């Protein structure tokens, strides 16, 4: 839809509601049109009217959850997703987004359960694999997290997030050589990714490969000069080489950011 088409749709739904206010589907679609235009307050009002007229519309509760996530109001989003799931328990999109809000709230146990349920319903969901792996990693369940990222890569071998996150988990497990291997694969996969170069640089520093750590950090910073982790690795590497003035300059740049 073009912007003018959403405006036309809004006008059409408003005309329909002038004829019949008790029309939950029209309120829902009106809300969708407002949402597409970024008019969240009008969208919320339309969605709320739709569920006021017909409370068992799972899609409306779900869209209210999305809207509250956009507002970064995760407690409200959780309520709406849970309402959607009470109406439709096997609703993978609601489970996935519920898990995201729970993660934002630090409710890692609950988020793990939501992502696991979403993955059970959609075994080929890369997003569910990645988010489950992430929350397990945060909880310190590294072996389970590794399995999730490997599953994601089995589904989509060129997924950069899965490759980098696998490298991070392997490093956390003390498998630095394997972590480096995955980081190098990530760089080959996405040579323009500042994160891939920066993380490889951090691993090179950890293995005392200082020249390569500096090269990787500089490459990352050429792609994104504001990426602080690359500057931290660079400053630490320069200090090890006793290049004190250069290291100090990089630290000053970090402070400036």
């Amino acid at each position: 839809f073009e912007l003018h088409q959403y405006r036309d749709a809004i006008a059409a739904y408003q005309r329909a509601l002038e004829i019949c206010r008790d029309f939950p589907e029209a309120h829902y679609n009106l809300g969708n049109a407002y949402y597409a235009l970024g008019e969240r307050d009008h969208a919320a009002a339309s969605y709320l009217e739709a569920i006021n007229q017909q409370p068992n519309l799972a899609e409306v509760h779900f869209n209210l959850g999305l809207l509250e996530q956009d507002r970064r109001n995760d407690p409200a989003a959780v309520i709406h997703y849970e309402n959607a799931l009470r109406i439709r328990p096997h609703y993978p999109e609601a489970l996935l987004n519920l898990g995201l809000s729970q993660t934002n709230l630090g409710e890692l146990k609950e988020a793990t359960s939501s992502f696991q349920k979403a993955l059970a319903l959609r075994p080929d969901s890369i997003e569910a694999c990645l988010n489950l792996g992430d929350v397990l990693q945060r909880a310190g369940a590294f072996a389970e997290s590794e399995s999730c990222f490997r599953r994601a890569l089995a589904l989509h071998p060129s997924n950069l997030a899965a490759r980098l996150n696998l490298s991070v988990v392997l490093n956390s497990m003390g498998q630095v050589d394997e972590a480096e291997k995955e980081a190098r694969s990530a760089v080959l996969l996405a040579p323009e990714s500042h994160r891939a170069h920066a993380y490889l640089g951090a691993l090179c520093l950890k293995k005392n490969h200082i020249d390569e750590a500096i090269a990787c950090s500089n490459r990352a910073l050429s792609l994104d000069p504001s990426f602080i982790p690359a500057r931290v690795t660079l400053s630490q590497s320069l200090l090890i080489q006793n290049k004190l003035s250069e290291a100090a300059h990089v630290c000053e740049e970090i402070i400036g950011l």
Side-chain angles (χ1 to χ4, degrees):
F1 270 48
E2 300 293 336
L3 290 180
H4 71 87
Q5 291 176 301
Y6 285 117
R7 291 292 176 200
D8 290 346
I10 287 170
Y13 291 127
Q14 287 174 332
R15 285 195 297 271
L17 290 168
E18 287 172 2
I19 297 169
C20 178
R21 293 294 302 171
D22 189 10
F23 193 171
E25 292 82 2
H27 287 289
Y28 170 57
N29 288 318
L30 178 59
N32 288 341
Y34 278 129
Y35 195 4
L37 292 173
E39 298 182 18
R40 294 187 179 90
D41 289 344
H42 286 128
S46 296
Y47 290 147
L48 289 169
E49 183 58 31
I51 57 175
N52 181 56
Q53 294 182 8
Q54 190 170 332
N56 64 342
L57 293 172
E59 295 85 355
V60 183
H61 289 285
F62 175 74
N63 280 14
L64 279 166
L66 292 178
L67 191 151
E68 294 299 347
Q69 270 184 328
D70 285 350
R71 291 170 164 169
R72 300 189 178 184
N73 186 359
D74 288 296
V78 166
I79 292 170
H80 290 301
Y81 292 134
E82 288 177 340
N83 285 338
L85 288 162
R86 271 191 283 273
I87 299 164
R88 188 192 301 172
H90 300 120
Y91 195 164
E93 294 83 4
L95 285 163
L96 184 61
N97 282 279
L98 173 60
L100 291 172
S101 282
Q102 290 167 330
T103 301
N104 291 339
L105 293 170
E107 299 172 355
L108 301 186
K109 182 178 179 180
E110 293 81 358
T112 297
S113 175
S114 296
F115 292 137
Q116 286 172 333
K117 290 175 182 177
L119 193 56
L121 292 170
R122 292 274 177 83
D124 60 347
S125 170
I126 292 286
E127 195 171 1
C129 285
L130 290 175
N131 283 293
L132 179 56
D134 174 65
V135 76
L136 288 168
Q137 179 186 349
R138 295 189 194 198
F142 298 127
E144 294 90 337
S145 177
E146 177 191 357
S147 296
C148 290
F149 294 133
R150 291 196 185 280
R151 179 172 176 175
L153 286 169
L155 291 167
H156 197 323
S158 62
N159 188 280
L160 177 62
R163 189 72 63 184
L164 275 178
N165 283 323
L166 176 58
S167 179
V168 172
V169 169
L170 290 169
N171 184 34
S172 298
M173 296 169 71
Q175 300 177 30
V176 183
D177 290 342
E178 284 298 309
E180 181 187 357
K181 177 184 173 182
E182 295 299 337
R184 291 189 186 280
S185 295
V187 167
L188 290 173
L189 180 67
E192 300 304 309
S193 167
H194 64 281
R195 292 183 183 278
H197 288 283
Y199 193 67
L200 178 57
L203 289 172
C204 288
L205 173 61
K206 187 171 186 176
K207 297 184 72 174
N208 208 33
H209 299 164
I210 305 305
D211 287 340
E212 188 172 8
I214 291 173
C216 290
S217 299
N218 280 325
R219 176 59 177 149
L221 291 169
S222 73
L223 295 165
D224 184 354
S226 66
F227 194 58
I228 290 178
R231 290 194 181 276
V232 171
T233 298
L234 179 58
S235 65
Q236 291 173 339
S237 300
L238 291 168
L239 281 172
I240 291 171
Q241 291 190 336
N242 207 32
K243 297 178 179 178
L244 303 184
S245 61
E246 292 180 48
H249 177 67
V250 174
C251 290
E252 289 171 359
E253 290 178 328
I254 293 172
I255 294 169
L257 294 172

